[in-house]
Amino acid sequence: MIKVKPNTCDINLVVAAYEENLDWVKKIKHKKIIYSKSKRYVEESEDCKVFYLPNTGRESQTYIHHIVQNYENLPEVTIFCQGHPFDHCPEFLTVANCNSIGRMNMLSQKYDERDWPNDENYCGIGHYFVYDLIKLATDDWDLQHKIPFYIIGLDVMYPRCRPMRFCKALWGANFVVSRKNIHRFSKDQYKKLLDY
C-alpha cells in the first residue's frame, strides 16, 4: 500500500483583537499570534504568543505591523483574521485548521460561492463585496471613508498602475496568504503603508 504524504505546510494564525472572547483560538492547531489593542489580559501558551499594540488603526494596521515586524521570518502561510471571524465565516475553525491554502480555498468556496482564484498563494475567507472607489471617495456614511485609504494603499503597492474604479474586498478582512505572495512587495512598501 502506498502512503500519500499529506499536503501540509508551516502555518501561523494572526489575530487582530480588541475586546473579543478569544477562547476559540485554542481550537486552532497552528501556531497562534494575537495582537490585542485593549488592556484586557489574553492568556499566552507555548503555541500562542500575545502582543499588545496601541488602539490605533484597524485590523489592516495590525496585519501590516505583523508583516513589517516578521518580514524576514514569515512562515510559509499566514492566516489573518479578526478577533471574532465567525460573523463573516461561521465555519472559520474548520477552514483555518486545514493544512494548505489549496484545501482552505476548496472548503471556503463550499461555504460561500465566490470567484476568487483557487490557488496556493491566497484564500479569502468569508463573503466579499466590490467597492466602487469613486463612490467611496464621495460617500459620507462612515468616518473611516473620509480618508481614501484604499486608494492610498493601491498607490503604494501598485504605483505604476492606472487608477481602478472597482476593488474587490472581504467583509471582515479574514484571509490566508503565502509568504511568496507577501514577498511580492518590499518591506519598505509595507512600512510606507504602516506610516499612513
Side-chain angles (χ1 to χ4, degrees), residues 161-172:
C161 204
R162 65 184 172 93
M164 302 181 189
R165 169 73 192 266
F166 299 100
C167 177
K168 188 180 285 190
L170 288 160
W171 288 112

Side-chain angles (χ1 to χ4, degrees), residues 18 34-44 49-55 65:
Y18 182 67
I34 297 171
Y35 290 95
S36 177
K37 291 187 176 182
S38 86
K39 296 184 189 300
R40 181 178 179 177
Y41 174 74
V42 180
E43 186 179 343
E44 277 199 20
K49 299 297 176 203
V50 179
F51 300 95
Y52 294 90
L53 295 176
N55 188 18
H65 170 85

Side-chain angles (χ1 to χ4, degrees), residues 68-84:
V68 168
Q69 294 299 309
N70 298 281
Y71 190 83
E72 292 83 9
N73 303 309
L74 291 166
E76 190 177 340
V77 171
T78 303
I79 303 167
F80 290 99
C81 73
Q82 294 180 332
H84 186 75

